[in-house]
Amino acid sequence: MIRSLLGRAGLIAAAAGLATVISAAPAAAHGADAPDGTDYRTRTTGVAPARPGLEVRVIEAGARLELTNRTGRTIEVIGYSGEPYLRVGPDGVFENSHSPATYLNRTIAGDTSLPAEADPAAAPSWQRIDDGTTARWHDQRALWQESAPPAAVRAAPDREHRVRDWTIPLRDGTDPVVIGGTLDWVPPPDAYTWWAVTIVGLLAVGALGLFAATAPAGARALSALGVLLIVGGALAVGYPVGRELDAGARGVGGVLVGLLSGQIWSLLTGLGAIAAGWYALSRRPAADFVVALAGTCLALFAGASNAAVFSRAIAPVPWSPAAARVMVALFLITGAGATAAGILRLHATSRTTAAAPRVETVESGSTAAG
């Protein structure tokens, strides 16, 4: 039975890894390409001249801009060739199908092929894309699109650099308005240090599996694993919530929609880890298997999928990048450590179970000989 559980755990872990790859592919293909981290910090300095009710902010670690128009008037975002690109007003959000920006801004790389109808000189052809008063879009004017960093950064990569000040023109009726902002290079953290701390931590947690399951120390080790999974699971629920908030989700409903549509694996992983932790604390049958399985999912869906923050200065969450790195390190330490500990305990139990019949046979033979 133990070998069957081990085999099942391996199959589920493999399936979880495959699901990670499969579920990520369509998201990137449809333009939901929020980065897991970046070294470029995009900020907005506001709208000039100020318009009460018109708000602009940076979301998705700088990948997109969000404009909310509560002025009661129509505001136009101007494209790269001076043409109307977006229209945001009381009747909803519209995009101009003749604007090249409509297609170029669908991905963060700006590499979408332009159709024949993309002609900035043509009269606008407005297509409604949302019923609200908020528009979100990639804008190359606020991003660094080159694969190599600027020359100043290459010369001194250990300090911050102002890459450029940027502006994006708007139009309020016939009045020109401008969104202003800055783009800075921020030195990335030392990823090797974070990975070293993580590896040491997960080895320490994995060592809990060396205590015999039937001994008092083994029972305490299982309880410790349960507590770690509950804490790790709670943080694993909080991290995707933070990503949704950073992506512009508003209110409980907006966060839930974002979680269910784009962060479902992370959400289920966190909830599953919490349940597995309680299961372990209750000393239920097959608790070792549940701990190993929950740990695998936590390491994959909450840890490995967000590990880019170890080597990037800016994280796609509304709290500090250092806090994001600590959380991801805890996901990996708890997840991989619990997996190792659970497998070690399962293996030890399997060996004990296999050895028990041989001892009984020897005792029976001795009795018969007597």
Side-chain angles (χ1 to χ4, degrees):
M1 179 180 177
I2 300 298
R3 291 182 179 178
S4 174
L5 288 175
L6 284 170
R8 197 177 304 168
L11 288 174
I12 295 177
L18 181 61
T20 302
V21 175
I22 292 175
S23 62
H30 288 85
D33 48 355
D36 293 322
T38 179
D39 295 327
Y40 295 92
R41 182 178 60 213
T42 302
R43 289 175 171 169
T44 178
T45 55
V47 176
R51 290 291 193 272
L54 183 61
E55 300 175 358
V56 179
R57 65 171 180 154
V58 175
I59 62 174
E60 294 181 356
R64 295 179 197 266
L65 298 177
E66 178 188 83
L67 182 148
T68 300
N69 178 17
R70 299 190 183 94
T71 65
R73 305 182 302 275
T74 296
I75 300 293
E76 289 184 356
V77 180
I78 306 304
Y80 303 123
S81 299
E83 80 286 1
Y85 158 46
L86 290 174
R87 193 179 79 191
V88 186
D91 55 346
V93 179
F94 296 77
E95 63 181 11
N96 176 13
S97 62
H98 290 162
S99 170
T102 293
Y103 310 97
L104 295 174
N105 291 352
R106 287 180 178 172
T107 65
I108 194 171
D111 53 2
T112 306
S113 298
L114 295 179
E117 63 181 308
D119 179 5
S125 176
W126 296 110
Q127 308 292 325
R128 185 195 298 269
I129 59 175
D130 194 271
D131 294 331
T133 57
T134 297
R136 302 182 182 98
W137 74 98
H138 296 301
D139 201 300
Q140 298 177 25
R141 291 164 288 201
L143 298 169
W144 180 256
Q145 299 292 81
E146 305 297 328
S147 57
V153 173
R154 295 195 300 270
D158 57 341
R159 62 184 182 87
E160 288 192 19
H161 295 271
R162 173 61 48 85
V163 177
R164 64 169 173 262
D165 297 322
W166 53 266
T167 58
I168 296 172
L170 308 177
R171 193 155 46 221
D172 180 2
T174 58
D175 297 334
V177 184
V178 173
I179 303 172
T182 59
L183 179 65
D184 296 286
W185 159 270
V186 182
D190 183 4
Y192 294 104
T193 299
W194 285 97
W195 278 112
V197 170
T198 298
I199 291 171
V200 171
L202 69 86
L203 289 176
V205 174
L208 293 174
L210 297 175
F211 296 102
T214 56
R220 290 193 295 270
L222 182 60
S223 296
L225 289 170
V227 171
L228 286 172
L229 283 174
I230 290 173
V231 174
L235 292 175
V237 171
Y239 198 91
V241 169
R243 292 202 63 162
E244 288 304 316
L245 291 173
D246 187 69
R250 295 180 183 272
V252 176
V255 171
L256 285 176
V257 169
L259 289 173
L260 295 177
S261 61
Q263 302 276 350
I264 186 65
W265 287 108
S266 298
L267 178 63
L268 292 178
T269 292
L271 296 175
I274 293 172
W278 283 115
Y279 196 89
L281 287 174
S282 301
R283 313 279 176 82
R284 301 287 184 85
D288 296 333
F289 169 74
V290 172
V291 165
L293 180 58
T296 299
C297 293
L298 189 64
L300 280 174
F301 296 122
S305 62
N306 294 301
V309 297
F310 285 171
S311 58
R312 293 291 180 261
I314 309 299
V317 289
W319 47 80
S320 73
R325 293 180 204 112
V326 170
M327 292 176 69
V328 173
L330 288 175
F331 299 151
L332 290 167
I333 290 170
T334 301
T339 300
I343 291 175
L344 285 172
R345 290 171 62 92
L346 284 169
H347 182 65
T349 303
S350 176
R351 292 181 60 183
T352 302
T353 303
R358 290 197 296 271
V359 174
E360 183 179 347
T361 301
V362 171
E363 290 178 352
S364 299
S366 300
T367 303

